[in-house]
Amino acid sequence: MAILVTGGAGYIGSHTVIELLEKNEEVIIVDSFINSKPEALNRIRQIANKDFKFYQMDICDKDNLRKVFEENDIECIIHFAGLKAVGESVKLPIEYYKNNIISTLVLIDLMKEFKVKNIIFSSSATVYGVQEIVPIKEDASLSATNPYGRTKLFIEYILKDLYVADKSFNIALLRYFNPIGAHPSGLIGEDPNGIPNNLCPYITQVAIGKLPYLNVFGNDYNTHDGTGVRDYIHVCDLAHGHLCALNKLRENPGLVIYNLGTGVGYSVLDILHAFNKAVGRDLPYKIVDRRPGDIATCYADPTKAYKEMGFKTEKTLDDMARDSWNWQKNNPNGLN
C-alpha cells in the first residue's frame, strides 16, 4: 500500500519523501508546483535512488484527485499541500481560506469514499498564538494571529470533529516549530519564491549576495541578547518525525497531537552567529523596529512526541546552518 504525499515537491514534503523512500515505502506525490518546482522531483530520485508515482494537479479539484484514489491502493495521506506565507495570508486571506481548507475537505471526502482511514496533517506552532508560558505543551490554549495560522487551526478542528464523528479514522496533527536546514547532499533545500519570508533563507541569500543585509526586528526583547527567541528544527529531523507518526498510527491508532521541535530556543543573533561560522565571515545586519505581533520567546516542549512515538531531534544548530549554506552556495538560484 502507498503513502500519498500532497505537496511532496515542497521544502518539508521533499525531505519527508526521501525518508519514506529510504524506508522502502511506496510513495505517490501530488503537487501543483505553486510553492515548489519540478526539479525537486529529479533531486529526490537522485538522493534516494528510487522512483515514485507523481501527479501534477490542484487537490482542490475533486474530480481530478479522484483518479489518484482510483488508480492506487492508499494506506495513509501525509498532507503538506497549502499556501504558507504569513505575510501573504494577511494580504490574501480569502485565497488562503479557499485553498487550504477546501483542499482538506476534498481530501476527507475522497478518504471517506475510498475508505482511506489514515492522515498525518502538517500543522504549525502558529496555532498556539501568543503564549506567555514556555516551553509550549500540546494542551496549551489555541488561537491564531493571522489567516495562515487560522487555516491550520480550522483544519485541526475539522480533523478533530471528523474523529469524534467516526472513530475509525486515525489522525496525527503535527505542530511544527521553525524548520531550517537542508538535505546534507546539498541537492534540496528551502527554495522560496521571491524575497524570503523566513529567517534562514533570508540569511543565506545575504551570504550569497542576492540581498544586502539582514533586518533584525527588535533588540529590546526580554531575552539573553534582546532579539526574539524561537525553536529551530532541522528539516531532516522534522521529516523523520513524519515516519514516527506513520509508525504510531500503524501501531496504536486514534487521534494524536504532537509538537515537532527541539525544545531549545535560539535567538535571531544566535542563528546569525551560527551562519557566520558556516559561511566563514560576518554577515551584515541592521537592527530595525519590532514587527507588530512578534513575541519575545517561543519554543516547544517535545516530551510527548518522545514518550509516545520515540521522536527525538539529532541535528545541532551548527548542522542547520552548515546544511542551509551548503544548499544555497551549490544552488544560488534555487531549483531554477
Side-chain angles (χ1 to χ4, degrees):
M1 297 182 78
I3 311 300
L4 171 60
V5 183
T6 71
Y11 174 44
I12 302 169
S14 59
H15 287 81
T16 302
V17 167
I18 288 166
E19 282 272 333
L20 290 165
L21 292 171
E22 288 178 345
K23 294 292 188 295
N24 296 313
E25 299 286 353
E26 181 185 347
V27 175
I28 304 155
I29 295 176
V30 172
D31 204 298
S32 66
F33 298 130
I34 289 175
N35 282 321
S36 59
K37 299 183 177 72
E39 176 60 23
L41 304 179
N42 297 327
R43 303 288 180 94
I44 292 169
R45 293 185 182 100
Q46 188 177 343
I47 294 166
N49 197 29
K50 288 178 183 168
D51 207 354
F52 47 84
K53 277 192 178 180
F54 172 69
Y55 296 82
Q56 183 176 351
M57 63 178 63
D58 181 346
I59 62 169
C60 291
D61 183 343
K62 189 173 184 179
D63 290 337
N64 218 0
L65 188 61
R66 181 177 281 107
K67 296 174 193 170
V68 179
F69 284 78
E70 288 172 343
E71 294 173 7
N72 300 281
D73 187 10
I74 297 168
E75 175 192 0
C76 181
I77 295 166
I78 305 181
H79 182 27
F80 293 106
L83 301 176
K84 60 180 185 175
V86 168
E88 184 183 65
S89 78
V90 175
K91 297 174 185 173
L92 302 170
I94 304 308
E95 285 78 356
Y96 270 68
Y97 290 124
K98 282 170 60 179
N99 184 87
N100 294 4
I101 294 173
I102 289 174
S103 64
T104 306
L105 293 173
V106 166
L107 267 180
I108 291 169
D109 278 348
L110 290 170
M111 288 175 71
K112 291 167 76 172
E113 182 179 336
F114 287 89
K115 296 181 172 53
V116 178
K117 294 293 185 177
N118 307 296
I119 184 167
I120 298 168
F121 174 56
S122 165
S123 191
S124 165
T126 57
V127 301
Y128 292 119
V130 178
Q131 295 286 329
E132 297 299 325
I133 298 172
V134 290
I136 299 171
K137 296 178 181 284
E138 286 85 351
D139 60 1
S141 61
L142 301 180
S143 65
T145 58
N146 56 71
Y148 162 75
R150 279 188 278 275
T151 66
K152 294 294 188 184
L153 185 55
F154 293 163
I155 292 167
E156 282 203 12
Y157 283 133
I158 289 166
L159 290 169
K160 289 173 184 174
D161 288 341
L162 172 67
Y163 180 71
V164 169
D166 185 349
K167 295 287 196 301
S168 69
F169 278 92
N170 302 312
I171 299 166
L173 308 178
L174 303 183
R175 295 172 179 163
Y176 311 159
F177 278 70
N178 296 65
I180 65 172
H183 194 272
S185 66
L187 289 170
I188 58 170
E190 190 167 7
D191 187 18
N193 294 322
I195 296 173
N197 292 291
N198 296 331
L199 175 63
C200 290
Y202 203 105
I203 293 176
T204 59
Q205 290 197 16
V206 170
I208 207 76
K210 294 179 79 170
L211 295 169
Y213 55 85
L214 173 69
N215 286 316
V216 177
F217 296 101
N219 66 343
D220 57 350
Y221 288 103
N222 184 23
T223 63
H224 65 274
D225 62 18
T227 65
V229 168
R230 300 291 182 269
D231 189 332
Y232 295 90
I233 177 171
H234 196 294
V235 67
C236 291
D237 280 335
L238 186 62
H240 179 66
H242 294 78
L243 269 289
C244 295
L246 178 63
N247 290 332
K248 174 67 175 174
L249 292 189
R250 285 169 170 167
E251 293 166 6
N252 191 10
L255 171 68
V256 292
I257 303 170
Y258 298 116
N259 289 333
L260 294 187
T262 63
V264 179
Y266 293 109
S267 75
V268 175
L269 292 183
D270 290 335
I271 298 293
L272 181 61
H273 294 151
F275 274 92
N276 289 342
K277 181 178 172 184
V279 175
R281 67 180 190 279
D282 288 348
L283 301 172
Y285 70 94
K286 289 185 180 180
I287 304 294
V288 298
D289 290 341
R290 293 186 183 191
R291 290 180 298 195
D294 272 358
I295 57 174
T297 303
C298 174
Y299 59 93
D301 182 337
T303 307
K304 186 182 176 195
Y306 176 67
K307 283 183 175 177
E308 294 190 9
M309 62 176 187
F311 172 72
K312 188 175 183 181
T313 58
E314 295 181 353
K315 305 282 191 177
T316 66
L317 180 56
D318 285 343
D319 294 332
M320 299 177 208
R322 182 197 64 236
D323 291 342
S324 293
W325 174 234
N326 185 45
W327 149 255
Q328 186 73 81
K329 72 182 180 183
N330 286 314
N331 302 272
N333 296 310
L335 290 171
N336 290 320

